């Protein structure tokens, strides 16, 4: 059986990654925009 | 929550949200359409897309309503392995990363995946590939169109036909207006919306019930969902993995992005997209697991995520879910419209119907094929035939059969046309038979295995050598 610890790791870790992904996308967008390298 | 009706949102609010986002997407599409006047601009966004937009578009396109709606259903029905099985589809993005770089290097002026197949394997393989590829693309497009109508109806009470029509019409409008520029630009916004929306709902859920409480509740009431050895879920895991690989490896949706990204960006963008996509079905799946612990009864398993959000956050949560689902559907529909239009324009119209047409004429044709594809999808969606999963999973064995012909074609000089054709046809045939006789959860697995044996076997039996330089030369 998946332990509570594993489930906690998956869910909390997943949430951190989701938030991190949003932050990363916006940061990269700002970086590319400042360098005029968006597209 | 719309009082008394059982709906999460009132139809009036639903129409208002549809109107706001429709105007937003179409306006942006027309704005970015200024860049999409040329054929290259329309089809491959000028071949200069950077890392931010490249990663966002790859991630957003792979986040469909299935990711946010089916992943919780998988978790509710197959437990922890269900949501992990869904997340294995991220491997498609990870493993496409080196392919994206290879494709860009081998075909710097390329437009479609079918073009590669013909240059690499010849006309027969191209024909088989086109049939399978178009079937998959149209199947996915129809499933997304249906999902749009069904979800809007379930959330707001707006009639399926109206909701579906609005979703498809909006996506057609901004894709025609701005081509791949509009698709990629809106994908960026949609990806941030999905990630932020999912994070907010999950934080609210965790505020009401901890992971430990969910685990404790499941241990007592539904211990099977926590089982490490859940055979059906394990088979589904590998099946989903191969389904995902097949989808990404063959589909022009991903190849067009590989052509669109600036040199050196493709592999990093797909790797980053994989990392960003991986947690989405896990976090969304948790909403499904949390429902029993929260005491939330769910009549329809595919509605567990909106019901949980709506119950905990009220109307604000329902609006958030609506926006997230609309974004995830639109980010896939626009990509399918653009990629399918590219295939039809370059592979059918330019080759057989208007062989002497110049780039300017083909640019206009591309816009019309987007419209035609959208109208076709609308006509198939209208009668509402089949469930969401049924429509999409039928394509699983077809796409899984193309993994090995694509891989071998890109990297193995000795890979032969006969192997590619046998792999696609044999894999599809066996896979569909398994789909009908055994179940959907093993069909892609069977298809990929048979295809691998046929591709490798035919190649080992041959001594021919392909020169990859021929791909750079393009078609005569």
């Amino acid at each position: 059986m998946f332990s509570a610890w594993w489930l906690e790791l998956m869910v909390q870790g997943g949430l951190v990654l989701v938030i991190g992904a949003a932050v990363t996308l916006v940061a990269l967008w700002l970086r590319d925009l400042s360098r005029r390298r968006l597209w | 929550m719309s009082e008394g009706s059982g709906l999460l949102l009132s139809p009036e609010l639903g129409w208002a949200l549809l109107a706001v986002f429709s105007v937003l997407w179409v306006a942006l599409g027309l704005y970015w359409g200024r860049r999409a006047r040329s054929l290259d601009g329309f089809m491959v966004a000028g071949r200069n897309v950077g890392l931010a937009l490249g990663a966002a578009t790859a991630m957003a396109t792979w986040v469909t309503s299935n990711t946010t709606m089916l992943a919780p259903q998988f978790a509710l029905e197959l437990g922890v392995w269900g949501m992990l099985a869904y997340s294995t589809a991220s491997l498609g993005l990870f493993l496409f990363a080196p392919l994206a770089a290879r494709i860009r290097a081998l075909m710097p002026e390329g437009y479609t995946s079918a073009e590669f197949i013909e240059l690499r394997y010849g006309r027969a393989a191209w024909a088989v590939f086109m049939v399978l590829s178009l079937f998959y693309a149209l199947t996915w497009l129809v499933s997304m169109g249906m999902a749009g109508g069904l979800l809007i109806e379930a959330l707001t009470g707006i009639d399926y036909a109206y909701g579906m029509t609005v979703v498809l019409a909006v996506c057609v409008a901004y894709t025609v207006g701005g081509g791949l520029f509009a698709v990629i630009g809106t994908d960026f916004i949609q990806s941030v919306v999905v990630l932020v929306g999912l994070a907010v709902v999950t934080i609210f859920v965790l505020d009401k019930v901890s992971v430990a409480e969910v685990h404790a509740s499941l241990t007592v009431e539904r211990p099977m969902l926590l089982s490490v050895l859940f055979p059906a879920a394990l088979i589904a895991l590998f099946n989903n993995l191969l389904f995902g690989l097949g989808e990404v490896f063959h589909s022009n949706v991903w190849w067009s992005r590989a052509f669109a990204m600036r040199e050196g960006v493709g592999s990093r963008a797909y790797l980053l997209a994989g990392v960003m996509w991986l947690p989405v079905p896990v976090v969304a799946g948790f909403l499904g697991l949390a429902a029993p612990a929260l005491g939330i009864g769910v009549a329809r398993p595919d509605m567990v995520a909106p019901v949980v959000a709506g119950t905990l956050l009220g109307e604000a949560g329902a609006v958030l879910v609506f926006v997230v689902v609309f974004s995830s559907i639109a980010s896939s529909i626009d990509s399918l419209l653009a990629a399918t239009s590219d295939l039809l324009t370059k592979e059918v119209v330019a080759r057989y119907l208007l062989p002497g047409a110049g780039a300017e004429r083909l640019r206009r044709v591309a816009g019309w094929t987007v419209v035609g594809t959208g109208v076709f999808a609308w006509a198939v969606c209208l009668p509402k035939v089949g469930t969401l999963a049924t429509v999409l999973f039928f394509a699983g064995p077809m796409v899984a059969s193309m993994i090995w012909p694509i891989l071998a074609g890109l990297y193995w000089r000795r890979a032969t046309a006969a192997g590619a054709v046998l792999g696609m046809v044999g894999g599809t045939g066996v896979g569909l038979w398994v789909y009908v006789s055994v179940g959907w959860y093993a069909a892609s697995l069977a298809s990929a295995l048979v295809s691998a044996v046929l591709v490798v076997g035919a190649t080992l039996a041959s001594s021919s050598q392909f020169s990859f330089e021929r791909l750079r030369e393009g078609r005569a």
Side-chain angles (χ1 to χ4, degrees), chain A residues 1-10, chain B residues 80 211-212 215-216 219 226-228:
Chain A
M1 186 179 278
F2 282 102
S3 68
W5 186 87
W6 270 114
L7 193 60
E8 189 86 51
L9 180 67
M10 280 187 269
Chain B
V80 175
V211 177
H215 187 274
T219 303
L226 295 170
S227 173
V228 178

Side-chain angles (χ1 to χ4, degrees), chain B residues 4 248 414 456:
Chain B
V248 178
R414 286 176 57 191
V456 173

Side-chain angles (χ1 to χ4, degrees), chain B residues 101-108 116 409-410 468-469 471-473:
Chain B
R102 180 88 173 149
I103 289 164
R104 189 74 163 75
L106 291 176
M107 298 175 63
F116 162 77
L410 283 169
F468 286 115
E469 265 306 304
L471 295 174
R472 184 178 285 271
E473 290 162 15

Side-chain angles (χ1 to χ4, degrees), chain B residues 420-436:
Chain B
V421 172
L422 281 172
M424 288 189 282
V425 173
T428 297
V430 171
L432 287 176
W433 178 79
V434 169
Y435 182 95
V436 169

